[in-house]
Amino acid sequence: MSKIKVMSELLANKIAAGEVIEKISSVVKELVENSIDAGSKNITVNLVNSGLESIEVMDDGSGMDREDAKSCFLRHATSKLYKEEDLYFIDTLGFRGEALASIAAVAEVKLATYNGKESSYIHIKGGTILEEKECPEKKGTDIEVSNIFYNTPARLKYLKSESTELAGCTSFIERLSLSKPDIAFTLTNNEKVIVKTSDSGNLKKTIHEIYGMDISKNLLEFKNENDDFIISGYACKPHILRSNRNSMITILNGRIVKNNDINNAINDAYYTYKPVDKYPVVVLCIETDPTIIDVNIHPTKQDVKISKIKDLSSLITDTIKKALYDNLLIVKPAEEKELTPFDEVIENKEEENSVLEKEEKPVINEQIFMDFRKEEVIHNKELKSLKLYPVGLALGTYIIAENEEGIYLLDQHAAYERINYERYMKKLREKDVSKVPLLIPMTIELSPSDFISLMEKRDILESLNVDFEEFGINTIIVKAHPTWLKEGYEEESIRRIIELIIGLDKKFDRVKFEEKIAITLACKMSIKANMHISMTEIEYILDELVKCDNPYNCPHGRPTIIKFTIYDLEKMFKRVMD
Ligand code: ZN
Ligand code: ZN
């Protein structure tokens, strides 16, 4: 029986709408997803001039019979959906059968396919079949799309420059290969290899193949679940960061998706571990009951809506946060690349693929990952026993410390800020209700709009144990304040808190608000750079810092400590050779 059926008109209209071909990558996406649906293990995408001239997709999948080869270019043909209800339980990747027909209508398409029984070759241009015959019997499908929009030049201008289109295709194939570590992907442009992954079935190895050594050796594995979701994946250590969100990747039930709430949840996990304008590399896999997801809200199918998103978000944040916390690492200065087992893998990759039996591969990988784990355990131990002895102060800004492992440079402001931040957080979390009554009330004058805004949210200020009253025009008097405000800086602290309350937007999040208070006050109340502090103060900072939950970052995510191990120093002074 033929695998492709004609969709009901109703279903076609429902899906219908927008997306036909807006970018080269949307054509690549359609073709490659068909290859995945055909059970391919090897998929190669060859572009000429970023696909503007031609796009070829070759796979080793199940191939098509003669009838399917022809009918896949008919409008609304699809092998994946039959009934309207199926729309809600989509478990194959592609589902809009009209895409191939749309492509064939505006380009030249050559299709060669063999399903093990019969082969067929079809050449279509502008929707018209030019040639149909048998072809060499090579299992799978080879489809070439060239001269897109040759017959509709007005649409050509929608396509972007070669470099933009190539970037789009590259990013698509990168993400797709991360969601399918068991499929080997190759992407070339003008015969130059751009992406190449193996079919190892091992996500960490795929991450390595895509992002390289610097990322793959700095990954933390995580895993967790609640009643509705199972999550797993890899998150980079906080000293490996990117300036955009493109490397935060979510794979939902095996499919790449985009969801802002999920991105925010990942980002929240790195709160105070990184600057706000930097983003981590995270590959997050989520498994859940498909009825919880609505994939069809956007025709590109990457945007999803998820019910119970709140539960999912906190599961993600808590899990990644814990992984980061368990694996805190001292930020080291840029080091020369050391040879690790992964390097050998890269060098031997060609050999490995051709010479070694497939069954042997997992064994090799296991070995690599065990070495990685060992490394992380050592760092954990290092954290627990961190002790820093003062040496002095340089440039009025950097504390120099030492221990049996090496030399440490600390940014005095960042370090002090971390200490104060954790202290404020503790007080705010404890809900310490003790107050200091003021004999002489503090008068705070505000602008009219700030005053109105504060009065609208007065319960927030009250909830922080600040007793106050309206007093005349646009003025409040404070009669008592919480005990944890720094002595001598009470008024400034209250003013900062009021500023934060006025700046709050509608979506009030208590936890984030408290973190903000703690960061702001910690920054303002900490010694600055260029202040020559005494040895006693240095000792105090070192003693308090090592007691912190995270001594390695200031609450803005900047590093507090830079470590030079004895080995680093000996290497720099050439006392040892590698
Ligand atoms: Zn600061
Ligand atoms: Zn800071």
Side-chain angles (χ1 to χ4, degrees):
M1 195 191 75
S2 167
K3 273 208 287 180
I4 294 190
K5 311 207 169 162
V6 174
M7 261 197 279
S8 80
E9 207 49 45
L10 176 66
L11 178 57
N13 290 339
K14 269 210 151 160
I15 301 171
E19 187 223 3
V20 194
I21 308 162
E22 38 185 28
K23 300 173 284 201
I24 294 296
S25 63
S26 36
V27 179
V28 171
K29 181 168 184 284
E30 287 304 327
L31 302 179
V32 170
E33 288 183 349
N34 286 333
S35 294
I36 293 174
D37 287 347
S40 309
K41 283 308 236 172
N42 287 281
I43 301 174
T44 300
V45 180
N46 296 318
L47 306 177
V48 176
N49 295 343
S50 305
L52 293 166
E53 198 167 320
S54 79
I55 303 161
E56 181 187 33
V57 175
M58 291 190 291
D59 69 45
D60 57 355
S62 57
M64 287 184 250
D65 63 30
R66 224 159 271 163
E67 200 192 325
D68 282 352
K70 216 162 130 182
S71 63
C72 71
F73 294 108
L74 300 173
R75 201 148 191 86
H76 303 321
T78 177
S79 59
K80 296 116 199 169
L81 282 179
Y82 312 116
K83 298 188 300 292
E84 198 191 338
E85 297 87 87
D86 289 341
L87 207 76
Y88 301 101
F89 299 98
I90 294 158
D91 61 355
T92 50
L93 287 165
F95 66 94
R96 292 172 322 287
E98 77 266 39
L100 272 184
S102 309
I103 294 168
V106 297
E108 187 170 352
V109 178
K110 289 173 187 167
L111 173 87
T113 185
Y114 175 61
N115 66 358
K117 289 189 204 115
E118 50 187 12
S119 71
S120 45
Y121 170 88
I122 297 178
H123 181 182
I124 295 186
K125 194 172 181 180
T128 313
I129 298 181
L130 299 180
E131 196 184 359
E132 223 186 320
K133 59 177 185 186
E134 292 191 4
C135 65
E137 299 185 341
K138 182 187 145 277
K139 185 84 190 293
T141 302
D142 183 350
I143 185 165
E144 189 193 303
V145 175
S146 53
N147 304 315
I148 292 177
F149 297 138
Y150 80 97
N151 55 357
T152 47
R155 305 267 330 247
L156 249 179
K157 66 170 191 286
Y158 290 111
L159 296 177
K160 303 266 169 18
S161 68
E162 276 195 28
S163 59
T164 308
E165 295 294 348
L166 184 60
C169 294
T170 306
S171 143
F172 169 69
I173 295 291
E174 282 177 352
R175 288 162 172 262
L176 190 68
S177 45
L178 289 166
S179 72
K180 304 279 167 199
D182 53 342
I183 299 177
F185 288 95
T186 305
L187 169 68
T188 72
N189 183 43
N190 299 337
E191 292 178 7
K192 189 174 161 246
V193 176
I194 296 170
V195 178
K196 191 167 176 57
T197 67
S198 62
D199 56 352
S200 65
N202 184 316
L203 177 59
K204 188 164 184 180
K205 190 166 183 207
T206 310
I207 295 173
H208 173 72
E209 289 160 340
I210 300 283
Y211 293 115
M213 173 72 103
D214 278 347
I215 300 286
S216 67
K217 76 170 190 180
N218 284 298
L219 290 176
L220 306 171
E221 191 174 3
F222 60 85
K223 216 179 183 96
N224 205 352
E225 60 180 278
N226 66 14
D227 290 345
D228 300 294
F229 303 97
I230 301 173
I231 64 166
S232 64
Y234 294 93
C236 69
K237 290 173 189 168
H239 64 284
I240 302 278
L241 295 166
R242 299 277 169 112
S243 50
N244 60 52
R245 293 166 182 261
N246 293 346
S247 305
M248 290 159 71
I249 289 170
T250 304
I251 300 160
L252 179 61
N253 289 348
R255 186 178 326 177
I256 294 287
V257 296
K258 269 189 206 149
N259 179 291
N260 272 338
D261 294 318
I262 292 178
N263 271 352
N264 291 339
I266 294 172
N267 224 10
D268 284 351
Y270 282 83
Y271 198 64
T272 82
Y273 284 97
K274 66 170 186 65
V276 280
D277 58 345
K278 292 271 185 275
Y279 302 95
V281 178
V282 172
V283 180
L284 165 68
C285 306
I286 306 169
E287 295 293 328
T288 188
D289 181 339
T291 55
I292 290 185
I293 331 161
D294 176 6
V295 283
N296 206 28
I297 61 165
H298 189 271
T300 63
K301 288 185 295 173
Q302 287 205 353
D303 286 287
V304 286
K305 244 201 173 104
I306 301 168
S307 37
K308 306 200 179 181
I309 184 71
K310 267 216 153 122
D311 296 346
L312 176 61
S313 293
S314 43
L315 180 70
I316 293 167
T317 306
D318 295 348
T319 306
I320 298 179
K321 209 177 210 169
K322 181 160 190 310
L324 292 172
Y325 181 71
D326 289 346
N327 288 276
L328 281 172
L329 234 185
I330 291 184
V331 181
K332 282 187 172 186
E335 57 190 35
E336 282 164 50
K337 215 169 138 196
E338 292 159 36
L339 190 75
T340 77
F342 252 138
D343 278 326
E344 287 158 30
V345 172
I346 302 166
E347 280 158 18
N348 295 335
K349 205 157 79 181
E350 297 307 324
E351 225 177 276
E352 186 195 328
N353 286 340
S354 56
V355 179
L356 294 175
E357 292 293 325
K358 274 215 153 131
E359 290 81 338
E360 276 179 285
K361 275 197 203 167
V363 182
I364 296 168
N365 290 335
E366 202 39 54
Q367 185 57 47
I368 293 162
F369 298 143
M370 297 222 331
D371 290 342
F372 269 67
R373 273 185 215 119
K374 229 186 317 173
E375 181 193 44
E376 264 145 32
V377 173
I378 294 166
H379 287 303
N380 259 338
K381 228 172 67 198
E382 176 180 69
L383 170 71
K384 303 262 145 52
S385 62
L386 181 64
K387 259 206 137 12
L388 300 173
Y389 304 99
V391 175
L393 188 70
L395 307 174
T397 302
Y398 302 106
I399 296 171
I400 304 166
E402 66 179 344
N403 66 18
E404 59 288 341
E405 286 176 34
I407 298 178
Y408 301 79
L409 282 180
L410 291 87
D411 177 318
Q412 67 183 29
H413 172 69
Y416 206 82
E417 199 175 51
R418 167 53 67 173
I419 297 165
N420 277 333
Y421 167 75
E422 294 203 2
R423 185 172 300 152
Y424 283 121
M425 277 313 284
K426 197 160 161 265
K427 292 290 182 190
L428 286 161
R429 289 224 172 103
E430 274 172 359
K431 310 268 178 255
D432 184 348
V433 291
S434 49
K435 288 180 208 177
V436 183
L438 294 173
L439 290 176
I440 307 162
M442 192 188 289
T443 310
I444 294 180
E445 223 185 287
L446 297 159
S447 77
S449 57
D450 284 355
F451 183 76
I452 294 166
S453 175
L454 178 64
M455 286 307 134
E456 278 169 1
K457 301 175 230 173
R458 63 180 300 156
D459 52 315
I460 298 177
L461 187 54
E462 281 159 1
S463 72
L464 291 167
N465 288 314
V466 177
D467 287 353
F468 67 99
E469 282 169 12
E470 286 182 51
F471 184 77
I473 303 160
N474 302 329
T475 305
I476 59 166
I477 49 167
V478 176
K479 294 179 155 177
H481 62 69
T483 47
W484 45 264
L485 298 183
K486 187 172 169 173
E487 240 185 283
Y489 295 86
E490 294 88 348
E491 183 172 343
E492 193 189 339
S493 303
I494 291 175
R495 282 183 183 276
R496 297 280 173 192
I497 293 172
I498 289 173
E499 269 169 33
L500 288 175
I501 294 175
I502 290 167
L504 282 172
D505 53 16
K506 280 156 258 151
K507 256 173 63 192
F508 177 63
D509 178 330
R510 181 96 214 169
V511 178
K512 281 192 184 157
F513 175 63
E514 288 179 355
E515 278 173 343
K516 240 185 186 154
I517 291 180
I519 292 179
T520 306
L521 296 186
C523 186
K524 299 299 169 218
M525 304 307 147
S526 299
I527 40 155
K528 303 280 180 287
N530 283 316
M531 276 173 68
H532 288 264
I533 55 174
S534 69
M535 207 59 173
T536 327
E537 285 170 299
I538 292 175
E539 274 167 22
Y540 170 81
I541 290 176
L542 294 178
D543 289 349
E544 292 301 307
L545 186 67
V546 295
K547 287 189 223 152
C548 284
D549 281 345
N550 172 10
Y552 302 113
N553 297 100
C554 87
H556 302 94
R558 288 199 296 115
T560 51
I561 306 175
I562 290 176
K563 176 183 184 180
F564 298 87
T565 64
I566 292 170
Y567 180 72
D568 290 334
L569 295 165
E570 287 179 338
K571 233 166 77 181
M572 283 187 262
F573 287 108
K574 307 256 180 264
R575 284 171 167 271
V576 290
M577 298 295 170
D578 308 282

